[in-house]
Amino acid sequence: MIEIKNVSKSYIKNEKIIDNLNLEIKDGEIFGFLGPNGAGKTTTIKMITGILKIDEGDIFIDGQSITENPVNAKLNFGFVPDSPDMFLKLKGIEYLNFIADIYKIDSKIRKDRIERLSKEFEIYDNLNEQIQNYSHGMRQKLLIIGVLLHEPKNWILDEPLTGLDPKSAYDLKEKMKAHSRKGNTVFFSTHVLEVAEKLCDRIGIINKGKLLFVGTYEEMKKQFKDSNSLEDIFLKVTEE
Amino acid sequence: MKETLFLTKILLKNSLNKNANKDKLTFKAIAAKLLMFVAIAYIGGVVAFLSKELIEVLKAANQPEVFISLCLLSTIIIAFIQSILSSLNVLYFSKDIEFLLPLPINSLKIVLAKFNVMLVSEYIVELLTFAIPFLVYGITFQVSIIFYIMSILVFLFLPIIPILLGTILTVILMRFTSFVKNKDLVQYITVFLTFAMIIAIQIYSINTTELTDFMIANKLIQINGLTDIFADYFIILKHGINAITEIENRLALSNILYLIGESITAYLFVSILLSTTYINSATNIVSGNSKKTKTDFRKIKRNSTRKAYIDKEFKILFRNPVFFLNTVLPVLIIPIVLTIPFVSEFFSKGESSSSQAIISAIGENIENTVGFAICICIINFLYMFNYISVTSISREGESVAFIKYIPLELYKQCRYKAIPAFILNFIPLFFIVIGMNLLFSKISISFTLEVFVIGLLCNLFISYAEVLIDILKPKIHWTSEYAVVKQNMNMLWSTIFVLIVSIIILGICSFFENVHVVTLLISAILILTTIFYDNFVKLYSTNIFKKIC
C-alpha cells in the first residue's frame, strides 16, 4: 500500500509544484497516474521513491515512512524510471546480479529468476552484452526484470510502456494484472489513455500540482456525462 | 557555405557544453574565475620566462630566427598528432553523428563543418602555446606590426594541411580496419600511444638537463637543421618561416600567398575526397560492434552489498575509456613520468656524479620534520592527479537518481564511492615509500613507516572528502562524458583541497622538531577529522544529497 499524506513540494519559494497531495493506493490495486507534461507526475514519483525530498507531509510504503525509514521503505517497492539509460558499460547480466546483491537475493533464486524473466522478456541471448549495445526497449526490459527480481509488493513505474514492443507491452500488462491479483500494488504514470482505461482499477489525474480527480473509470464517466471518451474527459479536466 | 558555417557553430557550441547559468555571478563563480585567471597568468609567466631565456641563448649564437622555425615546426607536429586523436572523436565517435546523418545535409558540408571544429580546437591550442612566445620575440627585437600580422596569418593557415593529413590517416584506418569499430579500444590505443610518445620524449630530453647555454644553442640549431630537411619535403613550413622571417623583402608576401593558396586548395580537395567515404564509415560505427555470446549462469553468485557496489564502480571506471584515461590513468602514469629523470640520473651517471652526491646528502638529512613534511607533500601532490572520488557522482550522469531509490544508506554509498580512489592511491603511496628507500639507502624503518602511515591517512581522508566536493556540486547533466572530466570545476576544487591539507601538514611540521611527535599529532588530527566527517555525512546525508535528483 502506498499512502501519500498532505504532500507539498516547491522548487522555487512560494511556487508549489505539488500542492497538498493526498492519495492512497490500496493493496491489490493498479493505479494509473495521468496528467499533461509538467503536471507533477514525475515529481510525485520522485518523492514516493525517495529521490526528491518532501517539503511538507509524508509518504508511506507499506507503513514505512520514506522520510523516517527510507531504507525499509525502499525495500518495499521496485521502481522503473522513465529513462532506462543507466550503467551502460555494465553487461546486462552484471546489472541484474548487482541489483540482486543490493536486494540480497539468494544465489539459487536469482539464477532461476534471471533465467526465467530474461526468457520471458526475450533478452536472454543479450544478457552477456554491454547495456550500451541494447536498444531503448531492451534497456527498459532489463530495468523491469531488475524490479521483478526481488519481487517487491509495490511496483512504481514511470512511463513503463514507452519503447516496449507490442508483445513485451502485453506481457508487462499481464504481469501487472497478476501482481495486483496477488494483493499487491501497482502505481504507474502514463500518457496512453487507453492503457489507463483498460488496465487500471483506479485513475488519478493531476495538473499543476493538484489532484483533480481520483476514482474508477466508471465513476469518472458518471462525473463527466457529456464526454464520449477518456480523451475528452482528460482534456476537460486538465483544461479547467 | 552559410549552411556549413551554421553547422560549425552548432557543433562548436555543442562540444563546449556551456553551462546554462553562465550569467549568474555568484561568489563561487567569481572565485573560480579568479583562480583560473591566476593559474593562467602563472603558466603564462613561466612560458614567457622560458621563451625569453631561449631567445637570448639564440641571440647570443646570432641565430634568433631559429626560434621562429622551431615554433612553426612544433605547430605542424602538434596539429598532426592532435588531428589524429581528435578526428576519431569528432568524425566518428561523437554523439552528434546519429542526429546529423538523417538530416538533409550533404556529406561534404558535414565533413567541412567537422573539419572546422578541429581547426578551431587547433587555433585554441596555438593561442595558448605560441601567443606568448611570439609576443616575447616581438618585444625583444622590437619588430614592426607586419611581423604580428604575418604571424597571425601563418598560424591561421599553417595547421590546415597537417590536420588534413592526420584526418586522411584516420579515415583510411576507419575504412579498412575492423577493430576500429570498437570505439573504446581505439581510444585506449591512441591515448596509450600518446603517453608512450611523451615518455620517450622525456627520456630523450633527460640528456639535455645539464647543458650550458652554448650547448643548448647548438642543440637548437641542430634541431633547426631537421627543420630545413623537413621543410624541403613539407613546403608549407618553408613558406611559413619565410613569411615571418623575410618581412624585410618581398619574399614574405609571396610566401604567405603561397601558404594561403596551398592550404585552401588542400582544404577543398581533401574535403571533397573525404566526403565520399566518410558517410560509409560513420554509418558503420553507428551500427555498433555488439557480439552475442552465451551467458554463463555459473558465474552468478551472491556478493555482499559493499563488494557489489565497489565492483560496479570499478567496472564503470575501467570500461569507460574517457573516465579511465582522465581519472585513473594519471595516477598510474604521473609517478612514472616524474620518476624517469631521477632513475635515469641514478643509473646513468655513476658514483662520482654531482647528483649522486646530492642524493646521498639528502638521504643523510631527511629524517627530520622538514624531510618528513616534504615526503608527505610529494605523496599528496601525486594524490592530486587522482580524480576518481571527485567525479564519482558526476560520472553517474542523469541516472544518478538510482543512488537515491535503492535500499542502501546514502552515507554507505558515499564510503563505497571513495574506495576506488583510496585503493588506486596506494600506487603513488608505495611508489614514494619504496622509491625513498631505494634512493636513500640509509633511511630508517621507523621513518618509512611514519611516512607510510600519514600518507595512508591522508589518502583515506582525501579520497573520502573529495566525494563530498562532488556531491555538493555535481555535474550530472552532460551529453558527453568529456564534460565530466574536462569541464568540471570540482577537479580544481579537489586540487585546492589537497593543497590546503598539505599546507596544514607543513604548518604542523614547522612547529615541531621530533618526527614521532609530528606523526602522532597528524595521525590524531586526520583520524578525528575523518571520523567527524563520516558522522557528518551519516547525520546530514538527506540534506547533503539534496542537489542530486
Side-chain angles (χ1 to χ4, degrees):
Chain A
M1 186 161 77
I2 301 168
E3 296 161 276
I4 302 171
K5 290 182 177 173
N6 308 316
V7 165
S8 294
K9 176 77 191 167
S10 312
Y11 290 124
I12 305 162
K13 215 176 178 184
N14 299 327
E15 269 185 46
K16 285 186 176 172
I17 189 95
I18 299 293
D19 191 4
N20 197 28
L21 184 68
N22 281 287
L23 193 59
E24 189 178 298
I25 298 111
K26 299 180 188 92
D27 287 339
E29 185 176 55
I30 301 179
F31 188 91
F33 204 40
L34 298 156
N37 294 332
K41 297 190 298 291
T42 300
T43 303
T44 306
I45 287 180
K46 280 182 173 177
M47 285 192 290
I48 298 173
T49 50
I51 296 169
L52 272 182
K53 201 180 162 195
I54 302 165
D55 289 349
E56 289 169 41
D58 205 348
I59 294 170
F60 298 88
I61 318 283
D62 286 341
Q64 299 283 349
S65 158
I66 194 74
T67 49
E68 299 297 322
N69 301 306
V71 173
N72 287 340
K74 286 170 191 176
L75 280 168
N76 290 336
F77 68 77
F79 172 53
V80 177
D82 55 347
S83 167
D85 302 332
M86 54 168 69
F87 305 126
L88 301 182
K89 295 287 172 184
L90 293 187
K91 290 176 182 177
I93 188 70
E94 288 171 340
Y95 170 76
L96 295 175
N97 205 33
F98 169 61
I99 292 293
D101 284 332
I102 294 287
Y103 286 91
K104 299 179 175 72
I105 301 167
D106 179 73
S107 290
K108 172 83 178 69
I109 297 171
R110 78 174 67 177
K111 270 181 204 172
D112 294 344
R113 285 185 191 161
I114 291 173
E115 200 165 354
R116 177 174 52 82
L117 290 166
S118 60
K119 278 178 182 166
E120 276 177 29
F121 278 96
E122 296 177 340
I123 60 163
Y124 179 79
D125 293 333
N126 306 88
L127 284 182
N128 219 20
E129 288 173 47
Q130 284 190 358
I131 303 171
Q132 66 181 352
N133 296 324
Y134 284 21
S135 67
H136 179 88
M138 283 161 76
R139 291 177 190 178
Q140 189 85 349
K141 288 177 188 178
L142 190 76
L143 290 197
I144 293 167
I145 295 172
V147 164
L148 302 184
L149 267 186
H150 63 104
E151 296 191 336
K153 273 197 76 183
N154 302 281
W155 290 2
I156 301 164
L157 314 128
D158 196 0
E159 301 284 346
L161 300 164
T162 311
L164 288 187
D165 56 64
K167 186 189 173 298
S168 301
Y170 174 80
D171 285 347
L172 179 63
K173 283 185 270 185
E174 289 304 305
K175 280 191 175 14
M176 285 158 90
K177 284 178 194 166
H179 191 65
S180 72
R181 275 198 298 271
K182 286 181 204 161
N184 301 316
T185 307
V186 178
F187 177 92
F188 74 103
S189 69
T190 185
H191 282 116
V192 188
L193 300 175
E194 288 75 18
V195 172
E197 184 182 335
K198 286 172 186 161
L199 188 68
C200 298
D201 298 309
R202 279 198 308 152
I203 296 162
I205 300 178
I206 188 172
N207 195 20
K208 293 174 186 164
K210 284 186 189 288
L211 198 60
L212 304 175
F213 173 83
V214 184
T216 62
Y217 181 60
E218 294 306 316
E219 284 168 350
M220 191 159 64
K221 275 207 299 195
K222 272 182 200 164
Q223 196 172 324
F224 299 93
K225 282 175 191 162
D226 313 337
S227 306
N228 299 321
S229 64
L230 181 61
E231 196 174 22
D232 278 347
I233 297 168
F234 180 80
L235 290 172
K236 199 172 267 180
V237 172
T238 53
E239 275 167 14
E240 272 171 5
Chain B
M1 187 67 184
K2 206 175 160 188
E3 218 174 350
T4 308
L5 286 175
F6 181 68
L7 197 57
T8 307
K9 207 172 129 189
I10 297 288
L11 293 177
L12 275 172
K13 272 191 175 176
N14 195 35
S15 67
L16 285 172
N17 204 8
K18 275 193 173 176
N19 190 347
N21 299 324
K22 61 175 180 178
D23 295 326
K24 279 186 185 172
L25 273 178
T26 58
F27 173 73
K28 277 185 196 168
I30 294 168
K33 276 180 185 158
L34 208 68
L35 263 170
M36 190 80 93
F37 177 76
V38 171
I40 291 170
Y42 174 74
I43 295 166
V46 173
V47 171
F49 174 76
L50 290 174
S51 305
K52 179 76 182 160
E53 289 285 300
L54 216 61
I55 290 165
E56 288 301 332
V57 166
L58 287 166
K59 199 175 158 188
N62 211 19
Q63 298 237 26
E65 67 281 356
V66 170
F67 184 79
I68 306 284
S69 311
L70 293 177
C71 285
L72 297 190
L73 178 66
S74 312
T75 305
I76 288 179
I77 294 170
I78 292 171
F80 181 69
I81 293 171
Q82 203 192 319
S83 68
I84 293 174
L85 297 174
S86 64
S87 59
L88 274 170
N89 283 319
V90 173
L91 288 173
Y92 295 103
F93 297 148
S94 82
K95 276 193 174 179
D96 53 42
I97 304 270
E98 285 179 50
F99 302 107
L100 288 176
L101 290 178
L103 293 176
I105 305 171
N106 72 39
S107 56
L108 176 64
K109 283 172 186 163
I110 297 177
V111 170
L112 283 173
K114 287 201 164 267
F115 185 75
N116 290 345
V117 171
M118 285 191 273
L119 202 56
V120 170
S121 314
E122 180 55 31
Y123 289 152
I124 294 168
V125 173
E126 278 184 357
L127 193 72
L128 294 173
T129 324
F130 298 111
I132 293 174
F134 265 66
L135 267 175
V136 173
Y137 185 91
I139 293 164
T140 309
F141 293 101
Q142 291 179 326
V143 293
S144 66
I145 187 82
I146 301 167
F147 169 85
Y148 295 107
I149 295 168
M150 284 299 186
S151 299
I152 291 168
L153 285 173
V154 168
F155 277 113
L156 281 176
F157 288 95
L158 194 65
I160 292 177
I161 291 178
I163 292 178
L164 289 172
L165 288 175
T167 310
I168 291 172
L169 204 70
T170 308
V171 171
I172 291 171
L173 195 77
M174 299 302 278
R175 182 75 183 83
F176 297 107
T177 49
S178 59
F179 82 93
V180 286
K181 262 191 171 188
N182 190 335
K183 174 184 171 180
D184 296 354
L185 184 66
V186 171
Q187 283 186 315
Y188 280 122
I189 290 172
T190 47
V191 175
F192 275 114
L193 284 177
T194 314
F195 271 112
M197 204 166 65
I198 290 168
I199 291 171
I201 289 169
Q202 204 186 4
I203 291 169
Y204 173 77
S205 65
I206 283 162
N207 297 325
T208 64
T209 49
E210 284 184 18
L211 294 175
T212 61
D213 282 359
F214 176 72
M215 288 160 83
I216 293 171
N218 263 344
K219 196 110 190 161
L220 290 173
I221 292 162
Q222 264 178 28
I223 299 170
N224 194 45
L226 280 177
T227 313
D228 289 341
I229 298 166
F230 197 68
D232 285 342
Y233 297 98
F234 220 58
I235 199 80
I236 53 160
L237 179 61
K238 192 182 271 177
H239 291 151
I241 295 168
N242 288 342
I244 299 175
T245 56
E246 303 285 341
I247 45 177
E248 303 297 323
N249 53 54
R250 281 183 189 172
L251 257 179
L253 187 66
S254 60
N255 274 284
I256 195 71
L257 289 175
Y258 277 133
L259 178 65
I260 294 170
E262 287 153 1
S263 302
I264 291 175
T265 313
Y267 175 80
L268 292 173
F269 177 72
V270 174
S271 300
I272 292 166
L273 197 76
L274 291 186
S275 63
T276 54
T277 57
Y278 170 65
I279 295 295
N280 266 343
S281 319
T283 322
N284 255 338
I285 295 295
V286 172
S287 66
N289 66 322
S290 73
K291 279 181 194 163
K292 275 187 184 173
T293 48
K294 216 174 170 199
T295 312
D296 187 358
F297 276 82
R298 284 171 304 179
K299 284 183 184 168
I300 297 177
K301 57 176 183 188
R302 188 175 168 176
N303 301 300
S304 69
T305 314
R306 181 176 60 234
K307 188 180 178 306
Y309 202 97
I310 297 165
D311 276 358
K312 183 260 297 177
E313 290 291 315
F314 268 115
K315 276 175 189 160
I316 292 171
L317 258 181
F318 279 78
R319 285 183 191 169
N320 187 318
V322 176
F323 295 155
F324 176 78
L325 299 170
N326 291 282
T327 64
V328 180
L329 197 64
V331 195
L332 312 175
I333 292 288
I334 301 287
I336 300 170
V337 171
L338 293 178
T339 317
I340 287 169
F342 291 104
V343 174
S344 174
E345 281 283 326
F346 193 71
F347 289 108
S348 66
K349 300 281 168 96
E351 290 292 321
S352 59
S353 80
S354 58
S355 46
Q356 275 283 18
I358 295 167
I359 286 168
S360 67
I362 295 172
E364 279 162 20
N365 297 298
I366 199 170
E367 291 200 33
N368 52 47
T369 48
V370 177
F372 182 77
I374 291 170
C375 289
I376 299 300
C377 286
I378 293 173
I379 292 170
N380 281 350
F381 171 73
L382 294 177
Y383 290 164
M384 270 186 202
F385 297 97
N386 184 332
Y387 298 118
I388 299 169
S389 280
V390 84
T391 54
S392 57
I393 303 291
S394 302
R395 285 198 307 265
E396 304 274 359
E398 302 279 353
S399 61
V400 74
F402 175 85
I403 66 175
K404 292 184 93 176
Y405 67 74
I406 56 168
L408 185 59
E409 289 90 343
L410 293 170
Y411 74 88
K412 281 188 184 168
Q413 295 191 57
C414 210
R415 285 180 191 165
Y416 301 160
K417 279 191 173 287
I419 288 175
F422 177 72
I423 291 172
L424 280 155
N425 267 347
F426 271 88
I427 293 165
L429 179 60
F430 279 126
F431 211 83
I432 295 297
V433 172
I434 295 168
M436 202 170 74
N437 275 277
L438 286 175
L439 213 58
F440 315 121
S441 51
K442 288 174 188 167
I443 251 173
S444 68
I445 295 174
S446 68
F447 186 79
T448 307
L449 271 175
E450 282 165 332
V451 169
F452 180 78
V453 167
I454 298 300
L456 185 74
L457 291 173
C458 281
N459 177 13
L460 181 68
F461 178 59
I462 290 167
S463 303
Y464 196 8
E466 282 185 346
V467 178
L468 185 66
I469 295 176
D470 203 27
I471 293 172
L472 295 176
K473 209 165 189 249
K475 194 175 180 75
I476 45 182
H477 304 292
W478 43 263
T479 47
S480 155
E481 289 120 337
Y482 280 99
V484 178
V485 288
K486 301 281 186 203
Q487 298 155 0
N488 194 344
M489 283 302 285
N490 288 346
M491 291 164 100
L492 178 68
W493 294 124
S494 90
T495 306
I496 293 167
F497 173 69
V498 180
L499 273 176
I500 292 169
V501 172
S502 304
I503 290 168
I504 292 170
I505 290 174
L506 267 174
I508 294 169
C509 289
S510 66
F511 277 107
F512 298 92
E513 287 182 358
N514 188 313
V515 177
H516 305 313
V517 173
V518 163
T519 307
L520 276 174
L521 189 64
I522 298 174
S523 299
I525 293 171
L526 283 170
I527 290 169
L528 288 174
T529 317
T530 310
I531 292 171
F532 171 78
Y533 169 75
D534 189 48
N535 279 306
F536 173 78
V537 173
K538 203 169 175 178
L539 278 171
Y540 299 103
S541 57
T542 315
N543 283 327
I544 292 170
F545 279 81
K546 209 165 70 180
K547 281 194 179 172
I548 297 165
C549 63

